[in-house]
Amino acid sequence: MKAAYLTGHGGNEIVAVGERPQPVRRAGEVLVRLRAATVNRVDLYMRDSGAGITHTLPMIMGLDGAGVVEEIDADERMLRVGQQVLLHPGIACGRCEFCLRGEDTLCTSMHLLGEHRDGTFAELVSLPSRNVFPMPDGLSFGEAAALGVNHITAWRMLHGKARVKPWETVLIFGIGGGVSLAALQLAKLAGARALVTSRDPAKLERALALGADAAIDGRGDIVRQVMAATDGRGVDVVIENVGAAVWSAALKSLVRGGRLVVCGATTGDQPPADIRRIFIRQLQILGSTMGDLGEFRDLLSLVQRTGLKPVIDSEYALDDVHAALDRLESGSQFGKVVIRIGSGA
Ligand SMILES: [Zn+2]
Protein backbone atom coordinates (compact mmCIF):
# COMPACT_ATOMS: atom_id res chain seq x y z
CA MET A 1 0.00 0.00 0.00
CA LYS A 2 1.06 3.59 -0.51
CA ALA A 3 2.14 5.54 2.58
CA ALA A 4 4.18 8.54 3.71
CA TYR A 5 6.77 7.38 6.20
CA LEU A 6 9.82 8.49 8.12
CA THR A 7 13.16 6.98 7.16
CA GLY A 8 15.15 9.05 9.67
CA HIS A 9 14.93 12.41 11.39
CA GLY A 10 15.80 15.94 10.34
CA GLY A 11 13.87 17.60 7.54
CA ASN A 12 11.59 16.87 4.64
CA GLU A 13 14.05 14.75 2.66
CA ILE A 14 13.70 11.88 5.12
CA VAL A 15 9.92 11.71 4.53
CA ALA A 16 9.38 9.08 1.84
CA VAL A 17 6.23 8.36 -0.14
CA GLY A 18 6.09 4.82 -1.42
CA GLU A 19 5.07 1.23 -0.80
CA ARG A 20 4.83 -0.15 2.74
CA PRO A 21 3.52 -3.58 3.81
CA GLN A 22 -0.22 -3.69 4.43
CA PRO A 23 -1.05 -3.80 8.17
CA VAL A 24 -2.22 -7.16 9.46
CA ARG A 25 -5.45 -6.82 11.43
CA ARG A 26 -5.41 -8.56 14.78
CA ALA A 27 -8.46 -9.81 16.72
CA GLY A 28 -10.34 -6.89 18.25
CA GLU A 29 -9.01 -4.48 15.67
CA VAL A 30 -10.63 -2.70 12.74
CA LEU A 31 -8.87 -2.37 9.40
CA VAL A 32 -9.74 1.06 8.00
CA ARG A 33 -9.23 2.18 4.40
CA LEU A 34 -8.24 5.81 4.92
CA ARG A 35 -9.57 8.61 2.76
CA ALA A 36 -8.11 11.61 4.59
CA ALA A 37 -5.80 12.64 7.42
CA THR A 38 -4.50 16.02 8.57
CA VAL A 39 -1.05 17.23 9.52
CA ASN A 40 -0.39 18.16 13.14
CA ARG A 41 2.53 19.84 14.84
CA VAL A 42 3.62 16.52 16.27
CA ASP A 43 4.18 15.29 12.69
CA LEU A 44 6.76 18.06 12.33
CA TYR A 45 8.27 17.05 15.67
CA MET A 46 8.51 13.42 14.63
CA ARG A 47 10.03 14.43 11.30
CA ASP A 48 12.61 16.73 12.87
CA SER A 49 13.63 14.76 15.94
CA GLY A 50 11.14 12.39 17.58
CA ALA A 51 13.31 12.65 20.70
CA GLY A 52 11.74 11.08 23.78
CA ILE A 53 9.14 9.16 21.79
CA THR A 54 9.82 5.42 21.57
CA HIS A 55 9.48 4.36 17.96
CA THR A 56 11.17 2.37 15.23
CA LEU A 57 11.96 3.38 11.67
CA PRO A 58 10.65 3.28 9.06
CA MET A 59 7.38 4.51 10.56
CA ILE A 60 4.26 5.75 8.81
CA MET A 61 3.38 9.32 9.80
CA GLY A 62 -0.01 10.77 10.74
CA LEU A 63 -2.21 10.78 13.85
CA ASP A 64 -5.77 11.55 12.87
CA GLY A 65 -7.74 10.01 10.03
CA ALA A 66 -11.09 9.13 8.51
CA GLY A 67 -12.09 6.46 6.05
CA VAL A 68 -14.17 3.35 5.53
CA VAL A 69 -14.23 0.09 7.49
CA GLU A 70 -12.49 -2.57 5.40
CA GLU A 71 -12.42 -5.54 7.77
CA ILE A 72 -13.67 -6.28 11.30
CA ASP A 73 -14.21 -9.20 13.67
CA ALA A 74 -17.22 -11.35 12.75
CA ASP A 75 -18.81 -10.59 16.13
CA GLU A 76 -18.23 -6.81 16.02
CA ARG A 77 -21.53 -5.21 17.01
CA MET A 78 -20.96 -1.44 16.83
CA LEU A 79 -19.40 -1.14 13.37
CA ARG A 80 -19.96 -2.69 9.93
CA VAL A 81 -17.88 -3.14 6.80
CA GLY A 82 -18.27 -0.14 4.49
CA GLN A 83 -19.18 2.26 7.30
CA GLN A 84 -17.60 5.73 7.27
CA VAL A 85 -15.51 6.17 10.41
CA LEU A 86 -12.99 8.45 12.06
CA LEU A 87 -10.20 7.58 14.44
CA HIS A 88 -9.11 8.42 17.96
CA PRO A 89 -5.32 8.08 17.70
CA GLY A 90 -4.56 7.24 21.34
CA ILE A 91 -4.26 3.55 22.11
CA ALA A 92 -4.04 3.16 25.89
CA CYS A 93 -2.88 -0.03 27.61
CA GLY A 94 -6.05 -0.45 29.68
CA ARG A 95 -4.01 -2.00 32.52
CA CYS A 96 -1.91 0.69 34.21
CA GLU A 97 -3.14 2.51 37.33
CA PHE A 98 -4.25 5.52 35.29
CA CYS A 99 -6.17 3.48 32.70
CA LEU A 100 -7.87 1.59 35.53
CA ARG A 101 -9.06 4.93 36.94
CA GLY A 102 -10.43 5.89 33.52
CA GLU A 103 -7.60 8.40 32.94
CA ASP A 104 -6.52 7.03 29.56
CA THR A 105 -4.64 10.19 28.60
CA LEU A 106 -2.25 9.58 31.53
CA CYS A 107 -1.53 5.99 30.42
CA THR A 108 2.10 5.09 31.14
CA SER A 109 2.38 3.17 27.88
CA MET A 110 0.10 5.15 25.58
CA HIS A 111 0.67 4.32 21.92
CA LEU A 112 -0.25 7.11 19.52
CA LEU A 113 -0.67 6.58 15.80
CA GLY A 114 2.18 8.23 13.94
CA GLU A 115 4.29 8.50 17.11
CA HIS A 116 4.70 5.03 18.60
CA ARG A 117 3.11 2.94 15.86
CA ASP A 118 2.31 3.25 12.16
CA GLY A 119 -0.04 6.16 11.50
CA THR A 120 -2.61 7.44 9.08
CA PHE A 121 -0.71 8.83 6.08
CA ALA A 122 -1.41 5.48 4.44
CA GLU A 123 -4.09 3.67 2.50
CA LEU A 124 -4.80 1.33 5.41
CA VAL A 125 -4.43 1.34 9.18
CA SER A 126 -5.44 -1.24 11.79
CA LEU A 127 -6.32 -0.22 15.34
CA PRO A 128 -8.49 -1.37 18.26
CA SER A 129 -12.22 -1.14 17.58
CA ARG A 130 -12.74 1.14 20.61
CA ASN A 131 -10.66 3.80 18.82
CA VAL A 132 -12.94 3.73 15.75
CA PHE A 133 -16.09 5.89 15.72
CA PRO A 134 -18.89 6.39 13.17
CA MET A 135 -18.47 9.67 11.27
CA PRO A 136 -20.98 12.40 12.14
CA ASP A 137 -23.33 13.20 9.25
CA GLY A 138 -22.51 15.94 6.79
CA LEU A 139 -18.74 16.01 7.20
CA SER A 140 -16.18 15.35 4.49
CA PHE A 141 -13.47 12.81 5.30
CA GLY A 142 -11.01 15.68 5.73
CA GLU A 143 -13.29 17.51 8.16
CA ALA A 144 -13.92 14.31 10.11
CA ALA A 145 -10.20 13.52 10.32
CA ALA A 146 -9.57 17.01 11.70
CA LEU A 147 -11.61 16.24 14.83
CA GLY A 148 -9.26 13.46 15.97
CA VAL A 149 -6.45 15.55 17.43
CA ASN A 150 -7.29 19.26 17.52
CA HIS A 151 -10.94 19.19 18.55
CA ILE A 152 -10.52 16.49 21.14
CA THR A 153 -7.57 18.43 22.58
CA ALA A 154 -9.59 21.66 22.72
CA TRP A 155 -12.55 19.76 24.17
CA ARG A 156 -10.55 18.46 27.12
CA MET A 157 -8.98 21.88 27.71
CA LEU A 158 -12.34 23.68 27.80
CA HIS A 159 -14.60 21.06 29.34
CA GLY A 160 -12.39 18.48 31.08
CA LYS A 161 -9.91 20.98 32.57
CA ALA A 162 -11.27 24.57 32.61
CA ARG A 163 -14.92 23.49 32.97
CA VAL A 164 -15.94 26.63 31.13
CA LYS A 165 -19.34 28.17 31.89
CA PRO A 166 -21.67 30.05 29.50
CA TRP A 167 -21.23 33.35 31.39
CA GLU A 168 -17.43 33.22 31.28
CA THR A 169 -14.88 34.80 28.93
CA VAL A 170 -12.20 32.72 27.25
CA LEU A 171 -8.99 34.08 25.72
CA ILE A 172 -7.57 31.89 22.93
CA PHE A 173 -4.00 32.49 21.80
CA GLY A 174 -2.71 31.95 18.27
CA ILE A 175 -5.94 31.81 16.32
CA GLY A 176 -5.36 30.13 12.98
CA GLY A 177 -3.78 27.05 14.51
CA GLY A 178 -5.93 23.93 14.61
CA VAL A 179 -6.36 23.64 18.38
CA SER A 180 -7.05 27.37 18.72
CA LEU A 181 -9.72 27.37 16.04
CA ALA A 182 -11.28 24.26 17.55
CA ALA A 183 -11.28 26.01 20.93
CA LEU A 184 -13.02 29.04 19.38
CA GLN A 185 -15.74 26.86 17.87
CA LEU A 186 -16.24 24.85 21.06
CA ALA A 187 -16.14 27.89 23.38
CA LYS A 188 -18.88 29.56 21.34
CA LEU A 189 -20.97 26.36 21.38
CA ALA A 190 -20.51 26.30 25.17
CA GLY A 191 -22.05 29.78 25.29
CA ALA A 192 -18.89 31.53 26.43
CA ARG A 193 -17.51 34.84 25.19
CA ALA A 194 -14.36 34.25 23.14
CA LEU A 195 -11.42 36.62 22.64
CA VAL A 196 -8.73 35.59 20.16
CA THR A 197 -5.17 36.71 19.52
CA SER A 198 -2.97 36.64 16.44
CA ARG A 199 -0.10 38.67 15.02
CA ASP A 200 -1.80 38.44 11.62
CA PRO A 201 -4.69 40.94 11.07
CA ALA A 202 -6.15 38.78 8.29
CA LYS A 203 -6.45 35.83 10.70
CA LEU A 204 -8.18 38.05 13.26
CA GLU A 205 -10.68 39.16 10.61
CA ARG A 206 -11.44 35.57 9.72
CA ALA A 207 -11.82 34.61 13.39
CA LEU A 208 -14.31 37.45 13.93
CA ALA A 209 -16.28 36.16 10.93
CA LEU A 210 -16.30 32.72 12.62
CA GLY A 211 -17.87 34.16 15.77
CA ALA A 212 -15.01 35.47 17.90
CA ASP A 213 -16.30 38.29 20.14
CA ALA A 214 -13.13 40.39 20.14
CA ALA A 215 -9.79 40.34 18.37
CA ILE A 216 -6.52 41.05 20.18
CA ASP A 217 -3.61 42.14 17.99
CA GLY A 218 -0.63 40.06 19.15
CA ARG A 219 1.80 42.68 17.78
CA GLY A 220 0.54 45.19 20.33
CA ASP A 221 0.06 45.20 24.12
CA ILE A 222 -2.02 42.06 24.62
CA VAL A 223 -2.86 42.64 28.28
CA ARG A 224 -4.02 46.20 27.70
CA GLN A 225 -6.30 45.06 24.86
CA VAL A 226 -7.70 42.19 26.93
CA MET A 227 -8.46 44.55 29.83
CA ALA A 228 -10.12 47.00 27.44
CA ALA A 229 -12.28 44.19 26.06
CA THR A 230 -13.31 43.00 29.56
CA ASP A 231 -13.95 46.34 31.32
CA GLY A 232 -10.63 45.99 33.15
CA ARG A 233 -11.55 42.64 34.67
CA GLY A 234 -9.58 40.04 32.72
CA VAL A 235 -10.70 36.68 31.40
CA ASP A 236 -11.80 33.57 33.28
CA VAL A 237 -10.00 31.07 31.08
CA VAL A 238 -6.92 31.20 28.85
CA ILE A 239 -6.43 28.51 26.19
CA GLU A 240 -2.74 28.48 25.37
CA ASN A 241 -0.34 26.57 23.15
CA VAL A 242 2.02 29.33 21.99
CA GLY A 243 4.33 29.06 25.01
CA ALA A 244 7.12 31.37 26.16
CA ALA A 245 6.36 34.26 23.81
CA VAL A 246 2.95 34.92 25.38
CA TRP A 247 3.15 33.25 28.80
CA SER A 248 3.51 36.46 30.79
CA ALA A 249 0.67 38.13 28.88
CA ALA A 250 -1.47 35.03 29.36
CA LEU A 251 -1.04 35.10 33.16
CA LYS A 252 -1.65 38.86 33.34
CA SER A 253 -4.83 38.53 31.26
CA LEU A 254 -6.49 36.28 33.86
CA VAL A 255 -9.03 37.51 36.41
CA ARG A 256 -8.35 36.53 40.04
CA GLY A 257 -8.88 32.79 40.39
CA GLY A 258 -8.72 32.34 36.63
CA ARG A 259 -7.59 29.15 34.85
CA LEU A 260 -4.87 28.86 32.25
CA VAL A 261 -4.93 25.61 30.27
CA VAL A 262 -1.82 24.80 28.26
CA CYS A 263 -1.37 22.06 25.64
CA GLY A 264 1.74 23.18 23.78
CA ALA A 265 4.77 25.43 23.76
CA THR A 266 5.56 26.24 20.15
CA THR A 267 7.74 29.27 21.00
CA GLY A 268 9.56 27.71 23.96
CA ASP A 269 8.73 25.91 27.21
CA GLN A 270 10.77 27.72 29.88
CA PRO A 271 9.20 31.16 30.45
CA PRO A 272 9.48 32.95 33.83
CA ALA A 273 6.91 31.37 36.14
CA ASP A 274 5.68 34.60 37.84
CA ILE A 275 4.99 32.55 40.99
CA ARG A 276 3.91 35.52 43.14
CA ARG A 277 1.15 36.38 40.70
CA ILE A 278 0.02 32.75 40.65
CA PHE A 279 -0.42 32.42 44.44
CA ILE A 280 -1.63 35.91 45.31
CA ARG A 281 -4.25 35.89 42.58
CA GLN A 282 -4.86 32.15 43.08
CA LEU A 283 -4.48 31.33 39.42
CA GLN A 284 -4.74 27.76 38.23
CA ILE A 285 -2.31 26.37 35.65
CA LEU A 286 -3.67 23.22 34.05
CA GLY A 287 -1.75 21.00 31.68
CA SER A 288 -3.73 19.07 29.09
CA THR A 289 -2.96 16.53 26.38
CA MET A 290 -5.38 14.98 23.89
CA GLY A 291 -8.64 13.65 25.36
CA ASP A 292 -10.04 10.25 26.23
CA LEU A 293 -12.49 8.05 24.35
CA GLY A 294 -15.48 9.18 26.42
CA GLU A 295 -14.68 12.82 25.71
CA PHE A 296 -14.34 11.98 22.02
CA ARG A 297 -17.76 10.39 22.04
CA ASP A 298 -19.24 13.51 23.66
CA LEU A 299 -17.50 15.73 21.11
CA LEU A 300 -18.92 13.69 18.24
CA SER A 301 -22.41 13.92 19.74
CA LEU A 302 -22.09 17.70 19.77
CA VAL A 303 -20.79 17.74 16.19
CA GLN A 304 -23.71 15.56 15.07
CA ARG A 305 -26.24 17.81 16.83
CA THR A 306 -24.82 21.19 15.85
CA GLY A 307 -23.30 20.56 12.43
CA LEU A 308 -19.95 21.95 13.58
CA LYS A 309 -17.36 21.71 10.80
CA PRO A 310 -13.62 22.05 11.40
CA VAL A 311 -12.01 24.89 9.44
CA ILE A 312 -9.98 23.52 6.53
CA ASP A 313 -7.06 25.57 5.24
CA SER A 314 -5.95 23.49 2.30
CA GLU A 315 -5.83 19.97 0.87
CA TYR A 316 -2.92 18.03 -0.57
CA ALA A 317 -2.60 14.61 -2.18
CA LEU A 318 -0.61 12.01 -0.24
CA ASP A 319 2.13 12.35 -2.88
CA ASP A 320 2.44 16.03 -1.89
CA VAL A 321 2.91 15.38 1.83
CA HIS A 322 6.10 17.49 1.83
CA ALA A 323 4.16 20.54 0.69
CA ALA A 324 1.52 19.86 3.34
CA LEU A 325 4.18 19.71 6.08
CA ASP A 326 5.74 22.92 4.73
CA ARG A 327 2.36 24.62 4.82
CA LEU A 328 1.92 23.78 8.51
CA GLU A 329 5.50 24.72 9.34
CA SER A 330 5.07 28.13 7.68
CA GLY A 331 2.51 29.09 10.31
CA SER A 332 0.53 30.93 7.64
CA GLN A 333 -2.32 28.41 7.63
CA PHE A 334 -5.80 29.16 8.94
CA GLY A 335 -7.30 25.83 9.91
CA LYS A 336 -6.35 22.29 9.09
CA VAL A 337 -4.07 21.10 6.32
CA VAL A 338 -5.67 17.95 4.93
CA ILE A 339 -3.97 15.00 3.21
CA ARG A 340 -6.22 13.28 0.68
CA ILE A 341 -5.68 9.53 0.49
CA GLY A 342 -6.88 7.08 -2.18
CA SER A 343 -10.01 8.40 -3.82
CA GLY A 344 -9.87 11.52 -1.71
CA ALA A 345 -11.18 13.67 1.09
ZN1 LIG B 1 -2.49 2.50 30.65
Side-chain angles (χ1 to χ4, degrees):
M1 65 167 183
K2 186 191 276 189
Y5 58 98
L6 294 173
T7 60
H9 297 292
N12 255 345
E13 59 279 4
I14 53 85
V15 178
V17 180
E19 285 295 312
R20 293 295 302 152
Q22 208 166 293
V24 176
R25 188 185 71 83
R26 296 186 293 184
E29 291 190 343
V30 179
L31 186 66
V32 176
R33 183 164 292 279
L34 289 156
R35 298 283 297 276
T38 80
V39 293
N40 291 288
R41 291 220 66 93
V42 69
D43 296 310
L44 296 174
Y45 181 76
M46 292 303 294
R47 181 195 69 179
D48 294 338
S49 115
I53 296 174
T54 305
H55 61 285
T56 56
L57 297 172
M59 190 183 69
I60 298 171
M61 302 178 75
L63 275 83
D64 54 31
V68 177
V69 173
E70 179 94 351
E71 192 184 300
I72 47 179
D73 285 346
D75 60 355
E76 167 64 43
R77 289 165 57 180
M78 308 285 278
L79 299 167
R80 56 182 167 71
V81 171
Q83 189 169 8
Q84 297 185 348
V85 292
L86 76 167
L87 311 181
H88 183 295
I91 295 155
C93 78
R95 306 288 292 275
C96 71
E97 65 170 295
F98 304 102
C99 283
L100 291 175
R101 286 185 204 137
E103 286 282 4
D104 286 18
T105 59
L106 296 177
C107 177
T108 52
S109 52
M110 171 71 81
H111 282 198
L112 282 155
L113 298 176
E115 288 189 52
H116 310 91
R117 56 187 275 164
D118 279 335
T120 55
F121 295 173
E123 290 177 308
L124 293 162
V125 69
S126 187
L127 74 173
S129 57
R130 65 202 301 262
N131 287 79
V132 180
F133 292 77
M135 257 172 60
D137 297 331
L139 295 187
S140 68
F141 286 108
E143 289 165 341
L147 298 170
V149 172
N150 287 169
H151 279 73
I152 184 61
T153 298
W155 180 275
R156 185 174 183 82
M157 294 174 85
L158 282 167
H159 294 295
K161 298 292 181 178
R163 303 193 178 280
V164 66
K165 304 294 189 300
W167 54 86
E168 291 186 321
T169 300
V170 180
L171 173 63
I172 301 163
F173 277 89
I175 204 71
V179 172
S180 300
L181 278 168
L184 170 59
Q185 292 180 314
L186 295 175
K188 291 310 297 176
L189 283 172
R193 184 163 181 253
L195 280 48
V196 299
T197 79
S198 174
R199 299 175 62 83
D200 181 342
K203 289 184 179 180
L204 291 175
E205 282 302 314
R206 293 184 69 177
L208 289 169
L210 281 171
D213 295 286
I216 308 294
D217 188 335
R219 298 168 303 177
D221 185 331
I222 290 174
V223 180
R224 181 172 298 181
Q225 294 173 77
V226 168
M227 291 304 158
T230 56
D231 295 327
R233 176 182 178 272
V235 301
D236 303 279
V237 173
V238 167
I239 297 294
E240 215 297 272
N241 58 45
V242 177
V246 303
W247 187 255
S248 173
L251 288 178
K252 289 174 180 166
S253 296
L254 282 170
V255 71
R256 288 165 174 264
R259 296 93 81 196
L260 186 159
V261 193
V262 57
C263 76
T266 310
T267 61
D269 63 358
Q270 301 289 331
D274 205 352
I275 294 170
R276 187 178 299 137
R277 174 174 292 273
I278 291 171
F279 70 76
I280 289 178
R281 299 175 70 89
Q282 301 191 46
L283 307 179
Q284 297 181 55
I285 313 290
L286 304 164
S288 196
T289 295
M290 282 292 292
D292 62 30
L293 297 170
E295 290 171 314
F296 199 50
R297 186 210 161 275
D298 291 343
L299 164 66
L300 297 183
S301 295
L302 186 79
V303 171
Q304 176 72 38
R305 187 185 305 162
T306 60
L308 179 156
K309 285 185 193 298
V311 179
I312 304 300
D313 172 78
S314 49
E315 294 191 5
Y316 295 84
L318 184 56
D319 284 320
D320 300 325
V321 64
H322 305 95
L325 291 165
D326 285 344
R327 176 73 183 160
L328 179 64
E329 191 164 35
S330 75
S332 53
Q333 84 284 2
F334 189 88
K336 294 300 284 176
V337 178
V338 170
I339 307 267
R340 289 191 307 272
I341 302 167
S343 46

